[in-house]
Structure formats: structure tokens, C-alpha cells
PDB file of all heavy atoms in Angstrom:
ATOM      1  N   VAL A  18     -59.525 -27.548  57.770  1.00  0.00           N
ATOM      2  CA  VAL A  18     -59.761 -27.596  56.318  1.00  0.00           C
ATOM      3  C   VAL A  18     -58.565 -28.230  55.618  1.00  0.00           C
ATOM      4  O   VAL A  18     -58.729 -29.077  54.720  1.00  0.00           O
ATOM      5  CB  VAL A  18     -60.037 -26.181  55.785  1.00  0.00           C
ATOM      6  CG1 VAL A  18     -60.177 -26.201  54.268  1.00  0.00           C
ATOM      7  CG2 VAL A  18     -61.293 -25.599  56.422  1.00  0.00           C
ATOM      8  N   VAL A  19     -57.369 -27.834  56.028  1.00  0.00           N
ATOM      9  CA  VAL A  19     -56.156 -28.409  55.420  1.00  0.00           C
ATOM     10  C   VAL A  19     -56.089 -29.905  55.698  1.00  0.00           C
ATOM     11  O   VAL A  19     -55.786 -30.707  54.796  1.00  0.00           O
ATOM     12  CB  VAL A  19     -54.909 -27.688  55.953  1.00  0.00           C
ATOM     13  CG1 VAL A  19     -53.638 -28.356  55.423  1.00  0.00           C
ATOM     14  CG2 VAL A  19     -54.930 -26.220  55.560  1.00  0.00           C
ATOM     15  N   PHE A  20     -56.368 -30.316  56.916  1.00  0.00           N
ATOM     16  CA  PHE A  20     -56.333 -31.738  57.257  1.00  0.00           C
ATOM     17  C   PHE A  20     -57.359 -32.521  56.432  1.00  0.00           C
ATOM     18  O   PHE A  20     -57.076 -33.633  55.959  1.00  0.00           O
ATOM     19  CB  PHE A  20     -56.616 -31.924  58.744  1.00  0.00           C
ATOM     20  CG  PHE A  20     -55.460 -31.597  59.641  1.00  0.00           C
ATOM     21  CD1 PHE A  20     -54.258 -31.142  59.118  1.00  0.00           C
ATOM     22  CD2 PHE A  20     -55.560 -31.735  61.020  1.00  0.00           C
ATOM     23  CE1 PHE A  20     -53.187 -30.836  59.940  1.00  0.00           C
ATOM     24  CE2 PHE A  20     -54.505 -31.440  61.850  1.00  0.00           C
ATOM     25  CZ  PHE A  20     -53.317 -30.984  61.309  1.00  0.00           C
ATOM     26  N   ALA A  21     -58.554 -31.963  56.273  1.00  0.00           N
ATOM     27  CA  ALA A  21     -59.595 -32.662  55.508  1.00  0.00           C
ATOM     28  C   ALA A  21     -59.192 -32.827  54.053  1.00  0.00           C
ATOM     29  O   ALA A  21     -59.410 -33.885  53.444  1.00  0.00           O
ATOM     30  CB  ALA A  21     -60.917 -31.907  55.616  1.00  0.00           C
ATOM     31  N   LEU A  22     -58.588 -31.786  53.476  1.00  0.00           N
ATOM     32  CA  LEU A  22     -58.153 -31.871  52.071  1.00  0.00           C
ATOM     33  C   LEU A  22     -57.014 -32.868  51.913  1.00  0.00           C
ATOM     34  O   LEU A  22     -56.979 -33.628  50.934  1.00  0.00           O
ATOM     35  CB  LEU A  22     -57.733 -30.487  51.575  1.00  0.00           C
ATOM     36  CG  LEU A  22     -58.850 -29.436  51.489  1.00  0.00           C
ATOM     37  CD1 LEU A  22     -58.282 -28.090  51.060  1.00  0.00           C
ATOM     38  CD2 LEU A  22     -59.943 -29.884  50.529  1.00  0.00           C
ATOM     39  N   LEU A  23     -56.086 -32.873  52.863  1.00  0.00           N
ATOM     40  CA  LEU A  23     -54.983 -33.830  52.779  1.00  0.00           C
ATOM     41  C   LEU A  23     -55.483 -35.259  52.999  1.00  0.00           C
ATOM     42  O   LEU A  23     -54.956 -36.198  52.388  1.00  0.00           O
ATOM     43  CB  LEU A  23     -53.912 -33.482  53.824  1.00  0.00           C
ATOM     44  CG  LEU A  23     -53.136 -32.193  53.587  1.00  0.00           C
ATOM     45  CD1 LEU A  23     -52.162 -31.926  54.727  1.00  0.00           C
ATOM     46  CD2 LEU A  23     -52.376 -32.236  52.254  1.00  0.00           C
ATOM     47  N   ARG A  24     -56.475 -35.420  53.846  1.00  0.00           N
ATOM     48  CA  ARG A  24     -57.028 -36.765  54.068  1.00  0.00           C
ATOM     49  C   ARG A  24     -57.695 -37.294  52.796  1.00  0.00           C
ATOM     50  O   ARG A  24     -57.711 -38.502  52.565  1.00  0.00           O
ATOM     51  CB  ARG A  24     -58.035 -36.707  55.218  1.00  0.00           C
ATOM     52  CG  ARG A  24     -58.650 -38.060  55.588  1.00  0.00           C
ATOM     53  CD  ARG A  24     -57.668 -38.925  56.325  1.00  0.00           C
ATOM     54  NE  ARG A  24     -58.199 -40.231  56.630  1.00  0.00           N
ATOM     55  CZ  ARG A  24     -58.853 -40.541  57.764  1.00  0.00           C
ATOM     56  NH1 ARG A  24     -59.041 -39.615  58.694  1.00  0.00           N
ATOM     57  NH2 ARG A  24     -59.296 -41.761  57.968  1.00  0.00           N
ATOM     58  N   ARG A  25     -58.237 -36.397  51.973  1.00  0.00           N
ATOM     59  CA  ARG A  25     -58.885 -36.801  50.720  1.00  0.00           C
ATOM     60  C   ARG A  25     -57.933 -36.771  49.526  1.00  0.00           C
ATOM     61  O   ARG A  25     -58.374 -36.864  48.382  1.00  0.00           O
ATOM     62  CB  ARG A  25     -60.073 -35.886  50.423  1.00  0.00           C
ATOM     63  CG  ARG A  25     -61.212 -36.005  51.393  1.00  0.00           C
ATOM     64  CD  ARG A  25     -62.358 -35.097  51.024  1.00  0.00           C
ATOM     65  NE  ARG A  25     -63.135 -35.593  49.887  1.00  0.00           N
ATOM     66  CZ  ARG A  25     -63.182 -35.004  48.694  1.00  0.00           C
ATOM     67  NH1 ARG A  25     -62.466 -33.919  48.459  1.00  0.00           N
ATOM     68  NH2 ARG A  25     -63.934 -35.510  47.727  1.00  0.00           N
ATOM     69  N   SER A  26     -56.657 -36.607  49.812  1.00  0.00           N
ATOM     70  CA  SER A  26     -55.687 -36.528  48.724  1.00  0.00           C
ATOM     71  C   SER A  26     -55.690 -37.811  47.889  1.00  0.00           C
ATOM     72  O   SER A  26     -55.903 -38.916  48.402  1.00  0.00           O
ATOM     73  CB  SER A  26     -54.288 -36.283  49.297  1.00  0.00           C
ATOM     74  OG  SER A  26     -53.310 -36.317  48.273  1.00  0.00           O
ATOM     75  N   GLU A  27     -55.461 -37.664  46.602  1.00  0.00           N
ATOM     76  CA  GLU A  27     -55.403 -38.818  45.709  1.00  0.00           C
ATOM     77  C   GLU A  27     -54.085 -39.563  45.824  1.00  0.00           C
ATOM     78  O   GLU A  27     -53.924 -40.631  45.221  1.00  0.00           O
ATOM     79  CB  GLU A  27     -55.629 -38.356  44.267  1.00  0.00           C
ATOM     80  CG  GLU A  27     -57.018 -37.759  44.043  1.00  0.00           C
ATOM     81  CD  GLU A  27     -57.214 -37.289  42.612  1.00  0.00           C
ATOM     82  OE1 GLU A  27     -56.225 -37.336  41.836  1.00  0.00           O
ATOM     83  OE2 GLU A  27     -58.331 -36.863  42.263  1.00  0.00           O
ATOM     84  N   ARG A  28     -53.131 -39.007  46.548  1.00  0.00           N
ATOM     85  CA  ARG A  28     -51.853 -39.679  46.773  1.00  0.00           C
ATOM     86  C   ARG A  28     -51.961 -40.519  48.046  1.00  0.00           C
ATOM     87  O   ARG A  28     -52.166 -39.982  49.139  1.00  0.00           O
ATOM     88  CB  ARG A  28     -50.725 -38.660  46.885  1.00  0.00           C
ATOM     89  CG  ARG A  28     -50.564 -37.826  45.615  1.00  0.00           C
ATOM     90  CD  ARG A  28     -49.361 -36.921  45.688  1.00  0.00           C
ATOM     91  NE  ARG A  28     -49.193 -36.174  44.443  1.00  0.00           N
ATOM     92  CZ  ARG A  28     -48.192 -35.340  44.186  1.00  0.00           C
ATOM     93  NH1 ARG A  28     -47.251 -35.158  45.128  1.00  0.00           N
ATOM     94  NH2 ARG A  28     -48.126 -34.701  43.038  1.00  0.00           N
ATOM     95  N   PRO A  29     -51.815 -41.824  47.934  1.00  0.00           N
ATOM     96  CA  PRO A  29     -52.041 -42.714  49.091  1.00  0.00           C
ATOM     97  C   PRO A  29     -51.145 -42.418  50.281  1.00  0.00           C
ATOM     98  O   PRO A  29     -51.581 -42.573  51.433  1.00  0.00           O
ATOM     99  CB  PRO A  29     -51.782 -44.116  48.522  1.00  0.00           C
ATOM    100  CG  PRO A  29     -51.958 -43.967  47.043  1.00  0.00           C
ATOM    101  CD  PRO A  29     -51.500 -42.583  46.710  1.00  0.00           C
ATOM    102  N   VAL A  30     -49.902 -41.996  50.035  1.00  0.00           N
ATOM    103  CA  VAL A  30     -48.978 -41.758  51.150  1.00  0.00           C
ATOM    104  C   VAL A  30     -49.472 -40.597  52.012  1.00  0.00           C
ATOM    105  O   VAL A  30     -49.534 -40.688  53.246  1.00  0.00           O
ATOM    106  CB  VAL A  30     -47.561 -41.469  50.609  1.00  0.00           C
ATOM    107  CG1 VAL A  30     -46.623 -41.118  51.762  1.00  0.00           C
ATOM    108  CG2 VAL A  30     -47.026 -42.671  49.845  1.00  0.00           C
ATOM    109  N   ILE A  31     -49.839 -39.505  51.356  1.00  0.00           N
ATOM    110  CA  ILE A  31     -50.316 -38.335  52.095  1.00  0.00           C
ATOM    111  C   ILE A  31     -51.615 -38.666  52.833  1.00  0.00           C
ATOM    112  O   ILE A  31     -51.790 -38.325  54.009  1.00  0.00           O
ATOM    113  CB  ILE A  31     -50.529 -37.153  51.137  1.00  0.00           C
ATOM    114  CG1 ILE A  31     -49.197 -36.746  50.504  1.00  0.00           C
ATOM    115  CG2 ILE A  31     -51.154 -35.975  51.871  1.00  0.00           C
ATOM    116  CD1 ILE A  31     -49.307 -35.615  49.509  1.00  0.00           C
ATOM    117  N   SER A  32     -52.525 -39.345  52.162  1.00  0.00           N
ATOM    118  CA  SER A  32     -53.794 -39.704  52.781  1.00  0.00           C
ATOM    119  C   SER A  32     -53.585 -40.627  53.978  1.00  0.00           C
ATOM    120  O   SER A  32     -54.247 -40.467  55.019  1.00  0.00           O
ATOM    121  CB  SER A  32     -54.705 -40.365  51.753  1.00  0.00           C
ATOM    122  OG  SER A  32     -55.918 -40.759  52.333  1.00  0.00           O
ATOM    123  N   ALA A  33     -52.670 -41.590  53.852  1.00  0.00           N
ATOM    124  CA  ALA A  33     -52.426 -42.528  54.948  1.00  0.00           C
ATOM    125  C   ALA A  33     -51.796 -41.829  56.146  1.00  0.00           C
ATOM    126  O   ALA A  33     -52.174 -42.084  57.302  1.00  0.00           O
ATOM    127  CB  ALA A  33     -51.527 -43.667  54.467  1.00  0.00           C
ATOM    128  N   ILE A  34     -50.833 -40.941  55.900  1.00  0.00           N
ATOM    129  CA  ILE A  34     -50.182 -40.216  56.998  1.00  0.00           C
ATOM    130  C   ILE A  34     -51.198 -39.354  57.750  1.00  0.00           C
ATOM    131  O   ILE A  34     -51.234 -39.338  58.989  1.00  0.00           O
ATOM    132  CB  ILE A  34     -49.022 -39.357  56.468  1.00  0.00           C
ATOM    133  CG1 ILE A  34     -47.901 -40.261  55.937  1.00  0.00           C
ATOM    134  CG2 ILE A  34     -48.494 -38.434  57.553  1.00  0.00           C
ATOM    135  CD1 ILE A  34     -46.762 -39.511  55.288  1.00  0.00           C
ATOM    136  N   MET A  35     -52.036 -38.647  57.004  1.00  0.00           N
ATOM    137  CA  MET A  35     -53.039 -37.813  57.648  1.00  0.00           C
ATOM    138  C   MET A  35     -54.073 -38.661  58.393  1.00  0.00           C
ATOM    139  O   MET A  35     -54.560 -38.274  59.454  1.00  0.00           O
ATOM    140  CB  MET A  35     -53.730 -36.930  56.623  1.00  0.00           C
ATOM    141  CG  MET A  35     -52.861 -35.815  56.072  1.00  0.00           C
ATOM    142  SD  MET A  35     -52.098 -34.805  57.370  1.00  0.00           S
ATOM    143  CE  MET A  35     -53.513 -34.287  58.305  1.00  0.00           C
ATOM    144  N   GLY A  36     -54.393 -39.820  57.833  1.00  0.00           N
ATOM    145  CA  GLY A  36     -55.336 -40.704  58.522  1.00  0.00           C
ATOM    146  C   GLY A  36     -54.801 -41.165  59.861  1.00  0.00           C
ATOM    147  O   GLY A  36     -55.531 -41.206  60.866  1.00  0.00           O
ATOM    148  N   VAL A  37     -53.498 -41.528  59.908  1.00  0.00           N
ATOM    149  CA  VAL A  37     -52.885 -41.954  61.171  1.00  0.00           C
ATOM    150  C   VAL A  37     -52.861 -40.801  62.166  1.00  0.00           C
ATOM    151  O   VAL A  37     -53.172 -40.972  63.358  1.00  0.00           O
ATOM    152  CB  VAL A  37     -51.466 -42.488  60.912  1.00  0.00           C
ATOM    153  CG1 VAL A  37     -50.739 -42.740  62.235  1.00  0.00           C
ATOM    154  CG2 VAL A  37     -51.523 -43.770  60.092  1.00  0.00           C
ATOM    155  N   LEU A  38     -52.511 -39.590  61.693  1.00  0.00           N
ATOM    156  CA  LEU A  38     -52.452 -38.433  62.588  1.00  0.00           C
ATOM    157  C   LEU A  38     -53.827 -38.098  63.152  1.00  0.00           C
ATOM    158  O   LEU A  38     -53.990 -37.915  64.366  1.00  0.00           O
ATOM    159  CB  LEU A  38     -51.885 -37.232  61.832  1.00  0.00           C
ATOM    160  CG  LEU A  38     -51.917 -35.885  62.583  1.00  0.00           C
ATOM    161  CD1 LEU A  38     -51.045 -35.954  63.831  1.00  0.00           C
ATOM    162  CD2 LEU A  38     -51.457 -34.745  61.675  1.00  0.00           C
ATOM    163  N   ILE A  39     -54.831 -38.037  62.284  1.00  0.00           N
ATOM    164  CA  ILE A  39     -56.172 -37.648  62.726  1.00  0.00           C
ATOM    165  C   ILE A  39     -56.769 -38.705  63.648  1.00  0.00           C
ATOM    166  O   ILE A  39     -57.279 -38.391  64.734  1.00  0.00           O
ATOM    167  CB  ILE A  39     -57.073 -37.406  61.508  1.00  0.00           C
ATOM    168  CG1 ILE A  39     -56.600 -36.170  60.744  1.00  0.00           C
ATOM    169  CG2 ILE A  39     -58.524 -37.237  61.936  1.00  0.00           C
ATOM    170  CD1 ILE A  39     -57.333 -35.938  59.436  1.00  0.00           C
ATOM    171  N   ASP A  40     -56.714 -39.965  63.241  1.00  0.00           N
ATOM    172  CA  ASP A  40     -57.298 -41.019  64.067  1.00  0.00           C
ATOM    173  C   ASP A  40     -56.540 -41.189  65.380  1.00  0.00           C
ATOM    174  O   ASP A  40     -57.144 -41.473  66.420  1.00  0.00           O
ATOM    175  CB  ASP A  40     -57.314 -42.338  63.296  1.00  0.00           C
ATOM    176  CG  ASP A  40     -58.275 -42.294  62.113  1.00  0.00           C
ATOM    177  OD1 ASP A  40     -59.187 -41.459  62.134  1.00  0.00           O
ATOM    178  OD2 ASP A  40     -58.086 -43.099  61.169  1.00  0.00           O
ATOM    179  N   GLY A  41     -55.219 -41.012  65.322  1.00  0.00           N
ATOM    180  CA  GLY A  41     -54.439 -41.111  66.557  1.00  0.00           C
ATOM    181  C   GLY A  41     -54.767 -40.001  67.533  1.00  0.00           C
ATOM    182  O   GLY A  41     -54.923 -40.238  68.734  1.00  0.00           O
ATOM    183  N   MET A  42     -54.903 -38.767  67.031  1.00  0.00           N
ATOM    184  CA  MET A  42     -55.231 -37.655  67.911  1.00  0.00           C
ATOM    185  C   MET A  42     -56.647 -37.780  68.465  1.00  0.00           C
ATOM    186  O   MET A  42     -56.891 -37.472  69.632  1.00  0.00           O
ATOM    187  CB  MET A  42     -55.080 -36.341  67.143  1.00  0.00           C
ATOM    188  CG  MET A  42     -55.195 -35.090  68.002  1.00  0.00           C
ATOM    189  SD  MET A  42     -53.841 -34.887  69.172  1.00  0.00           S
ATOM    190  CE  MET A  42     -52.504 -34.457  68.064  1.00  0.00           C
ATOM    191  N   ARG A  43     -57.579 -38.259  67.661  1.00  0.00           N
ATOM    192  CA  ARG A  43     -58.960 -38.406  68.108  1.00  0.00           C
ATOM    193  C   ARG A  43     -59.131 -39.568  69.086  1.00  0.00           C
ATOM    194  O   ARG A  43     -60.143 -39.646  69.783  1.00  0.00           O
ATOM    195  CB  ARG A  43     -59.887 -38.602  66.907  1.00  0.00           C
ATOM    196  CG  ARG A  43     -60.007 -37.382  66.026  1.00  0.00           C
ATOM    197  CD  ARG A  43     -60.744 -37.666  64.734  1.00  0.00           C
ATOM    198  NE  ARG A  43     -62.124 -38.036  65.004  1.00  0.00           N
ATOM    199  CZ  ARG A  43     -62.692 -39.162  64.634  1.00  0.00           C
ATOM    200  NH1 ARG A  43     -61.984 -40.072  63.978  1.00  0.00           N
ATOM    201  NH2 ARG A  43     -63.960 -39.408  64.896  1.00  0.00           N
ATOM    202  N   SER A  44     -58.152 -40.464  69.122  1.00  0.00           N
ATOM    203  CA  SER A  44     -58.238 -41.614  70.027  1.00  0.00           C
ATOM    204  C   SER A  44     -57.706 -41.313  71.420  1.00  0.00           C
ATOM    205  O   SER A  44     -57.786 -42.169  72.310  1.00  0.00           O
ATOM    206  CB  SER A  44     -57.456 -42.795  69.439  1.00  0.00           C
ATOM    207  OG  SER A  44     -57.946 -43.144  68.159  1.00  0.00           O
ATOM    208  N   VAL A  45     -57.164 -40.119  71.616  1.00  0.00           N
ATOM    209  CA  VAL A  45     -56.554 -39.750  72.894  1.00  0.00           C
ATOM    210  C   VAL A  45     -57.418 -38.691  73.566  1.00  0.00           C
ATOM    211  O   VAL A  45     -57.864 -37.750  72.910  1.00  0.00           O
ATOM    212  CB  VAL A  45     -55.128 -39.208  72.681  1.00  0.00           C
ATOM    213  CG1 VAL A  45     -54.484 -38.834  74.008  1.00  0.00           C
ATOM    214  CG2 VAL A  45     -54.276 -40.244  71.954  1.00  0.00           C
ATOM    215  N   PRO A  46     -57.685 -38.804  74.861  1.00  0.00           N
ATOM    216  CA  PRO A  46     -58.464 -37.763  75.554  1.00  0.00           C
ATOM    217  C   PRO A  46     -57.753 -36.416  75.510  1.00  0.00           C
ATOM    218  O   PRO A  46     -56.518 -36.340  75.455  1.00  0.00           O
ATOM    219  CB  PRO A  46     -58.576 -38.291  76.988  1.00  0.00           C
ATOM    220  CG  PRO A  46     -58.285 -39.750  76.892  1.00  0.00           C
ATOM    221  CD  PRO A  46     -57.339 -39.918  75.746  1.00  0.00           C
ATOM    222  N   LEU A  47     -58.537 -35.357  75.552  1.00  0.00           N
ATOM    223  CA  LEU A  47     -57.968 -34.015  75.493  1.00  0.00           C
ATOM    224  C   LEU A  47     -57.021 -33.764  76.656  1.00  0.00           C
ATOM    225  O   LEU A  47     -55.971 -33.123  76.483  1.00  0.00           O
ATOM    226  CB  LEU A  47     -59.093 -32.975  75.495  1.00  0.00           C
ATOM    227  CG  LEU A  47     -58.654 -31.513  75.568  1.00  0.00           C
ATOM    228  CD1 LEU A  47     -57.800 -31.141  74.368  1.00  0.00           C
ATOM    229  CD2 LEU A  47     -59.861 -30.595  75.673  1.00  0.00           C
ATOM    230  N   LEU A  48     -57.360 -34.266  77.832  1.00  0.00           N
ATOM    231  CA  LEU A  48     -56.506 -34.045  78.990  1.00  0.00           C
ATOM    232  C   LEU A  48     -55.119 -34.641  78.780  1.00  0.00           C
ATOM    233  O   LEU A  48     -54.106 -34.032  79.133  1.00  0.00           O
ATOM    234  CB  LEU A  48     -57.158 -34.649  80.239  1.00  0.00           C
ATOM    235  CG  LEU A  48     -56.445 -34.388  81.560  1.00  0.00           C
ATOM    236  CD1 LEU A  48     -56.329 -32.898  81.819  1.00  0.00           C
ATOM    237  CD2 LEU A  48     -57.175 -35.079  82.707  1.00  0.00           C
TER     238      LEU A  48
END
């Protein structure tokens, strides 16, 4: 929930940082 709210933040810096973190983590296999 916190990640989703930060990703939708109106501040571009916060939104961009969260976007890199989320997309980067989702691009890597769990193993």
C-alpha cells in the first residue's frame, strides 16, 4: 500500500524513485 501511494505521488522525484525500485524488483526472478 505504501509503495502504491508513493508511486502515485504528485512529486516526480518520489514517483520516479519508486518506479525504478518496483520495476527493478519485478524484473528479477524471486530465486
Side-chain angles (χ1 to χ4, degrees):
V18 176
V19 175
F20 283 1
L22 294 177
L23 292 177
R24 182 74 183 269
R25 293 181 75 247
S26 175
E27 296 179 354
R28 299 186 178 183
V30 176
I31 297 178
S32 178
I34 293 175
M35 289 308 305
V37 172
L38 173 63
I39 292 173
D40 293 338
M42 189 67 72
R43 292 171 64 238
S44 302
V45 180
L47 174 61
L48 185 59

